[in-house]
């Protein structure tokens, strides 16, 4: 029995790229079907993340033209990670494995064949890993690579240069469904699932058309979600900083006692102001870090849904 594959593609205002993306993904699925590698039940599942342009209309048209394309539409924009999760959870129970990829054709579609090979040889999770970042701007390359290194230092298990282009088997999808966190950072959660994993290298191209839907603000929000949802090290860093300051205070105390005994005047208002500013700043930073964890715990405690599905096409009831 050949594999039922779902390709999940989150889309936010992607009307400029969708005609080309759907054409290429449709061709890829037909080629795989003709080779006998995937079943005729395989689908391309688009997730419209509350787009304001004609994305959902295009998805419906594609479904009318061919049953290979199906879609879900979220009731409003919930961000890439939630849209992707909505797609994965909609595919769950309908397929043997799912591949997630971006809509803008930056992820090399031909890597799908190698991902399937890895799946056929027993992998439950296959990571698409970028072979080079030459096409990125210096800023993007520097910040992205620095961020992966920072996450590693914080003790988080992440795959270097892997974003959200990956294959998950049905059982990996079932395991993922048990992770109910609100602040999603899928590339940190997936390595926690365990199972047999492998990687497939691919060269990431440039966006086919349109503009990036990940402005700096969204990128920073995702980066913070990664750190605060995966690591407790920032809190421990506060304790370490406090201990360091206590040691410094003790040394200064000894130093000033000795100074007074030797007859020096130790009161220097500039130094005192500096110390006060330093301590004040450190306390505010510490409060900010603690506040971040408390705020996130507050949001998690509410257990609000991560997305609401507004409409579906080609997926039955
Ligand atoms: N995306 C989404 N919701 C958002 C932002 C982005 O579903 O709020 C989708 C977008 O349509 C694309 C993927 O996430 O398929 C990655 O976005 P993009 O390619 O713009 O990010 P970049 O490659 O510039 O980091
Ligand atoms: Mg992109």
């Amino acid at each position: 029995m050949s594999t039922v594959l779902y390709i999940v593609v989150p889309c936010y205002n992607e009307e400029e790229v969708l005609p080309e993306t759907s054409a290429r993904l449709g061709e890829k699925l037909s080629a795989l079907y003709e080779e006998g590698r995937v079943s005729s039940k395989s689908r391309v599942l688009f997730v419209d993340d509350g787009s304001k342009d004609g994305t959902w209309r295009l998805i419906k048209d594609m479904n009318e033209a061919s049953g290979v394309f199906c879609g879900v539409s979220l009731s409003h924009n919930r961000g890439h990670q939630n849209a992707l999760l909505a797609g994965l959870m909609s595919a769950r129970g309908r397929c043997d494995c799912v591949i997630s990829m971006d809509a803008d054709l930056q992820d090399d579609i031909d890597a799908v064949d190698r991902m399937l090979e890895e799946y056929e040889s027993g992998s439950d999770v296959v990571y698409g890993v970028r072979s080079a970042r030459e096409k990125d701007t210096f800023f993007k390359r520097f910040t992205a690579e620095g961020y992966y290194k920072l996450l590693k230092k914080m003790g988080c298990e992440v795959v270097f240069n892997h974003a959200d282009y990956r294959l998950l088997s049905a059982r990996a999808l079932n395991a993922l469904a048990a992770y109910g966190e609100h602040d999603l950072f899928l590339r940190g959660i997936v390595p926690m699932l365990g199972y047999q994993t492998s990687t497939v290298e691919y060269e990431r191209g440039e966006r086919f058309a349109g503009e990036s839907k990940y402005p700096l603000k969204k990128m920073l929000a995702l980066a913070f979600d990664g750190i605060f949802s995966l690591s407790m090290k920032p809190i421990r860093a506060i304790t370490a900083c406090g201990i360091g300051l206590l040691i410094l205070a003790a040394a200064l105390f000894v130093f000033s006692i000795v100074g007074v005994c030797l007859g020096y005047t130790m009161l220097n208002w500039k130094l005192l102001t500096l110390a006060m500013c330093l301590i004040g700043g450190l306390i505010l930073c510490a409060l900010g870090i603690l506040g971040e964890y408390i705020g996130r715990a507050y949001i998690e405690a509410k257990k609000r849904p991560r997305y609401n599905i507004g409409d579906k096409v080609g997926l039955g009831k």
Side-chain angles (χ1 to χ4, degrees):
M1 271 252 295
S2 49
T3 308
V4 180
L5 166 70
Y6 268 54
I7 299 180
V8 170
V9 187
C11 313
Y12 179 57
N13 294 341
E14 296 286 15
E15 65 179 3
E16 283 163 279
V17 295
L18 273 187
E20 183 65 23
T21 308
S22 58
R24 290 204 206 168
L25 287 175
E27 271 167 31
K28 177 52 73 185
L29 269 193
S30 329
L32 288 169
Y33 173 65
E34 270 154 34
E35 286 166 28
R37 297 197 48 202
V38 301
S39 140
S40 59
K41 289 185 187 152
S42 300
R43 298 282 179 273
V44 179
L45 168 57
F46 292 105
V47 183
D48 172 30
D49 185 15
S51 299
K52 292 176 183 66
D53 65 358
T55 297
W56 183 237
R57 185 183 32 78
L58 271 176
I59 295 171
K60 285 199 288 189
D61 290 349
M62 282 185 255
N63 172 257
E64 254 170 47
S66 161
V68 161
F69 302 108
C70 53
V72 291
S73 156
L74 304 191
S75 58
H76 69 303
N77 180 237
R78 294 294 298 132
H80 170 235
Q81 297 288 290
N82 286 310
L84 180 51
L85 184 77
L88 295 177
M89 292 305 119
S90 304
R92 184 179 162 230
R94 298 173 197 267
C95 59
D96 299 312
C97 65
V98 60
I99 293 180
S100 51
M101 67 166 70
D102 291 351
D104 57 1
L105 296 171
Q106 282 196 275
D107 299 330
D108 174 18
I109 291 179
D110 290 329
V112 164
D113 302 59
R114 285 178 286 138
M115 285 185 172
L116 272 176
E117 262 165 44
E118 295 293 337
Y119 167 75
E120 285 153 7
S121 355
S123 290
D124 282 279
V125 181
V126 186
Y127 298 107
V129 174
R130 310 173 54 145
S131 53
R133 281 188 171 268
E134 271 129 34
K135 288 192 180 137
D136 276 353
T137 58
F138 172 76
F139 176 75
K140 182 114 188 178
R141 189 164 62 219
F142 179 75
T143 48
E145 289 185 350
Y147 179 63
Y148 283 108
K149 285 179 190 153
L150 178 71
L151 279 178
K152 274 253 164 287
K153 283 224 157 63
M154 297 240 172
C156 316
E157 199 189 327
V158 281
V159 178
F160 194 66
N161 271 343
H162 159 70
D164 285 297
Y165 189 21
R166 71 174 82 81
L167 177 147
L168 293 174
S169 69
R171 70 171 176 165
L173 267 183
N174 287 338
L176 179 66
Y179 287 73
E181 50 220 88
H182 193 273
D183 292 329
L184 264 189
F185 186 67
L186 285 166
R187 62 196 88 163
I189 297 174
V190 172
M192 289 184 209
L193 303 179
Y195 300 122
Q196 188 175 322
T197 64
S198 51
T199 55
V200 157
E201 281 207 355
Y202 73 100
E203 211 171 301
R204 197 162 154 94
E206 288 183 37
R207 176 174 260 282
F208 179 75
E211 283 179 1
S212 169
K213 308 300 178 301
Y214 253 105
L216 189 64
K217 200 173 142 205
K218 276 191 185 174
M219 242 161 65
L220 283 176
L222 180 69
F224 281 119
D225 279 350
I227 293 172
F228 289 109
S229 69
L230 295 174
S231 176
M232 292 290 282
K233 284 210 173 162
I235 292 191
R236 298 202 184 110
I238 297 175
T239 316
C241 204
I243 293 171
L245 279 176
L246 282 178
I247 295 170
L248 184 69
L252 279 175
F253 179 70
V254 174
F255 179 68
S256 48
I257 294 281
V258 172
V260 169
C261 292
L262 294 177
Y264 294 113
T265 317
M266 296 307 290
L267 199 63
N268 179 332
W269 68 268
K270 281 185 196 151
L271 211 64
L272 212 63
T273 316
L274 189 79
M276 273 168 58
C277 288
L278 178 76
I279 304 288
L282 284 174
I283 290 174
L284 286 180
C285 284
L287 278 178
I289 292 175
L290 286 178
E292 197 64 44
Y293 281 98
I294 294 169
R296 282 165 190 270
Y298 171 67
I299 298 286
E300 295 292 346
K302 292 184 191 239
K303 297 206 182 308
R304 287 178 181 157
R306 290 170 285 188
Y307 53 83
N308 290 319
I309 292 185
D311 209 351
K312 284 182 186 179
V313 282
L315 283 169
K317 287 200 175 166

